């Protein structure tokens, strides 16, 4: 049943809707694993990374709202229920229990890199279908790439002999 | 391995830790189903309920952070990963797709009532174990009961003949 | 007719509801006599007490709202109508017309002491019935006791020979 | 005893003082019945009217302070004690217990209309006596008329078949 | 006479200038009909829609300024005079006099849909001519589509039997 | 059909309603020509006048809202539709295209002078009909006369030989 | 030479201009003597009166600006030069050197009473000439009367036996 | 001499008063050693711990004010003089001179653990005597336990081989 | 009579006191002539200079308060009464009536230059007497020299052929 | 050595990196020449242009940070050292010493036009390489084109006979 | 061991370091006795002095931080430990228990006078050693002298017969 | 050509002008190398130093504006053009490309030490020439010495075996 009408033709709506739904799951999952890391990190860089993780979470939460409302705006009901996230989220995250700071940094760099790679594919597929959606995905990519650099710079010299 | 030491004896720590972990899952799940409802609601009360749901989400997010940090503060690593929420969350939520406003209100009243009932049990079990944790659970209950009232008052005259 | 359902059993609801209703009347009455004193005070400490009274009024107004909404939250419709306040309010207040500053201070100290004594009784009766309500009454008591101290300290050396 | 001197001649002071005293009672009473309605309303428009009522209360409280201080400024001690309000308030208000939203709207429209009619009479009687007081009554009327309109517009189509 | 020079070649300037001028008229007209509806709406959802309409007006006013200054920035003098709006505005609006809430919602949904359809055409025509202008039109479309969804969700179940 | 009732007798309502409707058109038109001048001005005083014009526009927009809501408050549905403004607005404005700064100043001085002259007439006609409306018109006149002075002072030495 | 044109006829302009010029001198002088008292006060109420005096000064400064700009707005160049104030100011003020708190209070009450008496005369003379100017004078009177009451209430029991 | 009267019976007053006085000394001392560490820390984590220490100091200062005013509120004059702190403070602190970052972290963890252990004892002793005081001590404990966790997490892997 | 004691020896107090009293008169006078110019300026730079003058006035008012309180702080009662300013102020100012913008600029540059020259002399005489007072005079000089530059830059090319 | 990894393929990284590095130099240079003009401008439009230049500088500084962090985010170390700017900056700027206002306007218009022309070329070259970078360059162009218009409008009638 | 290097030669560093260390102890002690007075004051001027004391405390705390960080900045580790303050603080303070308002005022005047006398000596000794440190000491002196005046003015007429 | 007149004699102007011009170059250069380090830093302390560097940049930018406007205020046109900075800046900075965090800290400590040494010389040379300029240089030195300490404390234990 079409409850909310769309301003897009059916094909474009399907392409844009799929891209938004997948992005929504990535962002909601990212907000959960970011908070998990925020709470379970230990080590001499605790405070610094603890604060930096909240910036990832804030960003992921804000964009998830924009993405879901964009989906609604083109007539696609978004799906952000817990079971959907658990079933579809594939970016990884910290293991259960206390996690050392350097390990947290690596886990977040990896999750962000996966998210960015998937976003860049969706930027291409939505170009024709809906430039408005594409524009939003570009803005998210720009933000996540900046966050990824900041964790990657923190990660230098890449784990062997780190801080020692 | 005990990484973060506790200021509580082992027994008290286990009781308080369990109560906090269960509350964390309830709150994170509530924040997700609250947002899902925020995005998928339709009907003549759309705007009013759309805004009210964000107050539930803001509240659930803020308390989930306090709860998880309280767990860490007593030496218990909290677990808020997506798979944990999906496996343990039991408060219910809206079905997938567009949902009518009156149905949303009922779903949220039900979820809040379950959450409150479970919190009241934990208030009892933590009284001896840790009055600090109990105090936090009392504060959360007070807030959720107020939110429940507001949705329940909105729900009158209880669904038959609603708005007509 | 039970319009808004309660999350408390009937007995507990009655005890907590009574305590909240009595507190509501005390606070609304306190906000009215506080304002009355704010407007009718004269004397060399006019400005200082004039401002201090508005802090009592702000506090009483804010707490009366929390108390009434707590009553509603447990399914008890609060009653703050003018006739109810006039019939039930027993804390006293300034006489009609201009009132000297030292007399105002004494009147407010007396009203706050009565309010505190009555609140402390309700803290005991609500302990079993509803710890959430008890917690709210404790917070109100803490605030009113602080305000009482400030007026009492102002009252030194207790009226004989005061300022002269 | 004349404690605070007046800058008005005696006749003018009596006329303006009476108008201010009557307006003070109307506004304090309005703030109490507005809060009463704010707490006891139920029905599908709960949230919307619940918020709107607080605007009436805020407005009535702010104006009651201005009115009482204007009375003091012309040497008339205002009287806003609980017993005075109970004895003199005549604008009506909601009955005790839960009240349906449409009934609340009607009650508030009626109360505001009475308040406005009485204010307009005082605007005439104070024109000669004290243009400063008249100016204040005009400002209050403007605000209450705007509030009345907003509740009346909400009231359409006037109760029969409302929302159905 | 070319007073303000352009940084675009003549052809591109003409295409981008036309798109901006048409968008300016749409937005200025939208801000006027949005205010008209804001003032003349009646019915049980009065307050909720009254507030929502101001968000449309604020958005339309802010974008109209950006659009007109963009036109000036590429050397095209914008035309937002009353007679131009009256002659060129084609999105519709509420009829004169009081208008029922459900009718207002439908009128605004229709106006926003027309505006969006016209914007999407201009997004295509400006892609080659001026990506800066295109980017601005995409941002306006994203905002109006979100606003349209919110009114459309409010409009469900599409007028027959609405609220009854 | 009388949808929103009036607190004024019919005659007074007609006089006040006419004054408000004419003022509404003047203010909405003024906000449009002010923006038009804001966008199309050129010359060495560009920045200074560009900013000053936005103060006229902000003022006109805010007062137009107050005026229209005052009309509604006395039971008169205001009419601010584009076609009404185009048909009734008579204060003049800048010609289409780029306009030199000194010419802009003269145009705005003329428009404000017409608006003020018309307002002063309405102040007289509304004195008996509705002092609340009169008070609002006085406030608007005060503001527009201040703005007029500021542009007139800017205009000295009255165009011949100006700046050179 | 008429540099800034007036929107008032010549007679009205002269009456309103005189009233505004005299009010300007009163307010500028009041702001100077208020500051003088603020700096030179001593005694046990130092802090309380020191702060209260700055409220008189802020008020006098803000109104002097409004009054002078109102004069300019009706084409009358205001005169607030030091020599003009010294020559025309007649409201009195504290003597040179340190001044006891009770004496300061009396001096300010006297100055405010003179200012109010003079304003009330001007309210009468400007009623026909310019209701806009009259409205401004009424607003100033309301404020100064409130300030006078607050110092007068502070002054009780009128100097004999004061504080001792 | 009993200057400020108490609303508590004598026994309860003594118990609550002792608990508050001891807590006051702990908090004032904590604020001093926190600042000392803030100024004298050196090492690669300088900036991060330098900022984190100010959060401990801000918290200790704010709670010391609440604790002392609570003591006054129950009629017990608090004692926070320098000599009292020096004689009674027992939580330890950094040695004089520059101190390495890892050593600072250990010193603060130790001081917070002592403070918490002492607070938990007082929570028990005040339960009967004064639930208002107990509630305040619970709130302080919750905050200090959170701060302790944050420094302890920072301390991992517990000093041997730390950062190298 | 020495009411407020000084922390300076008598000689130093006299030197510093004289410097502060003279500076007070200069600053109060400057604030009056700055406002006078603010109100009476005409010409094409009206708005720009009108705003710039208020920065001089704000600065002069703030510094006059600091200077007078510094005098009081060293036991010298300051004198800022209207008659003192009229008798002692020597920096000049605009003539009565409307004043052209370029003439205003010249008058303010001249007044500021005189003020600065006098301040530089006092900086020398207070160096030995009171370095605290000297520091304050240096800060005032820095600010006035910056303001002077800004009016002087505005004044280029120095009046002959200016703007033409 | 590749320290920070890129999420772009090598070719795309080189193209986007070059575009960002060149833009960085343009923006840093622009912020320096903008400040230079801000400090050295003289003439009757001093204040107006002095303030407008700071808007260019704020904009250039904010964008230079975004551009450099975007370069880092794609794994390219940006180069904003003084010697690099001096060697590569080619947009021109004011000569040393005082500069007349009209000359400043012309210099800034020229610098902005060069910057815009160079940005439009990079918008084309980055379209395929990296839409995220392209989006950023479009936003910078939009802002600089608006600033250019504002200085160009100020520049009319283009220097001959300007202001005279 | 020299951990943090100094930018001053050894002799200058010793002189400046001593002056800063002594000032640090004075300010930390002042903040403690100020708070002690804030909590234990009684009498009719309670509220006024209670607030004024917090301004002394805020000032002393802020300056103590600046002074300690200045010491660190010149390579001298500051010493603000509780035992150091108790051993070195010599400015006096209120006795234990409740203290009458007039006695508090006298105690604070005395403490501030001692602090100022000691600061003036250090201003002289640091002039050659380090003008940066001297500048900071001058700023502290200016603030404490202002605070001293305000308490001294409050103290008039110097205790005999004061308030009765 | 002397465009802006000076309030200093020629000799003093030359000395103060040279000191200000050299300081301007140091501060502008510092802001550029600070940003360069902000963008190119890598390593485990990335986030902490990245943020700390922006404080140096903010400080350098704010002071460069004050210094340049002070030069203008004494009639000396400042020179902050890119080529001047490149030719005159001598404080050093990070090499091109990614730079490890510990190396960044060392580079900034060195640059700040050079800047401070040069400022201390200018403090001496300007003492006679212009105490206003000297005061500004003292304030800059105080700030840079504090920043140097913070980086130096971070630098401990001085690079050999740092963090390992």
């Amino acid at each position: 049943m079409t409850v909310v009408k769309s301003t897009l033709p059916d094909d474009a709506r399907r392409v844009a809707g799929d891209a938004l739904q997948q992005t929504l799951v990535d962002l909601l999952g990212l907000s959960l694993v970011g908070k998990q890391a925020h709470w379970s990190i230990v080590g001499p860089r605790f405070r610094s990374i603890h604060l930096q993780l909240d910036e990832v979470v804030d960003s992921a939460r804000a964009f998830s709202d924009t993405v879901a409302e964009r989906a609604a705006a083109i007539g696609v009901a978004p799906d952000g229920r817990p079971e959907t996230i658990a079933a579809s989220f594939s970016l990884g995250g910290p293991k259960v229990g206390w996690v050392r700071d350097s390990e947290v940094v690596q886990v977040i760099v990896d999750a962000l890199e996966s998210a960015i790679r998937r976003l860049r594919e969706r930027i291409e597929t939505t170009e024709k279908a809906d430039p408005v959606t594409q524009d939003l995905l570009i803005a998210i990519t720009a933000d996540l790439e900046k966050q990824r650099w900041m964790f990657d710079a923190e990660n230098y010299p890449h784990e062997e002999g780190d801080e020692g």
Side-chain angles (χ1 to χ4, degrees), chain A:
Chain A
M1 177 194 61
T2 309
V3 174
V4 176
K5 281 183 294 177
S6 181
T7 53
L8 289 177
D10 270 17
D11 267 19
R13 194 181 74 148
R14 200 169 321 108
V15 172
D18 286 358
L20 290 163
Q21 173 60 31
Q22 291 166 24
T23 306
L24 178 63
V25 169
D26 285 3
L27 291 168
L28 287 173
L30 208 50
S31 79
L32 291 170
V33 302
K35 265 296 177 196
Q36 175 69 12
H38 173 82
W39 297 322
S40 59
I41 182 174
V42 293
R45 285 186 280 159
F46 165 79
R47 182 179 149 87
S48 195
I49 310 295
H50 178 75
L51 294 174
Q52 193 171 351
L53 285 160
D54 253 2
E55 293 175 17
V56 173
V57 172
D58 288 351
S59 185
R61 280 180 177 169
F63 277 128
S64 72
D65 207 54
T66 313
V67 160
E69 301 206 337
R70 177 71 201 149
I74 60 167
V76 174
D79 183 359
R81 296 170 303 148
E83 53 269 37
T84 306
I85 303 172
S88 316
F89 182 65
S90 62
L91 304 182
K95 66 178 193 301
V96 75
W98 307 110
V99 188
R100 207 197 138 93
D101 49 11
S102 50
E103 191 178 333
V104 162
V105 170
Q106 189 63 53
V107 162
I108 297 298
V109 167
D110 291 349
L112 288 168
E113 281 180 1
S114 303
I116 290 160
R117 192 171 46 245
R118 290 157 59 87
L119 275 162
R120 287 199 164 269
E121 287 162 15
R122 290 174 210 135
I123 289 173
E124 280 191 28
T125 59
T126 53
E127 182 166 25
K128 284 281 162 286
D130 182 23
V132 181
T133 292
Q134 189 200 33
D135 225 48
L136 172 55
L137 299 178
I138 287 173
I140 299 171
T141 305
D143 184 81
L144 294 193
E145 287 186 338
K146 183 176 163 185
Q147 307 248 24
R148 192 205 66 83
W149 150 54
M150 287 191 161
F151 278 96
D152 199 23
E154 186 89 40
N155 205 17
Y156 178 87
H158 303 306
E159 197 57 2
E160 65 285 88
D162 133 62
E163 286 158 295

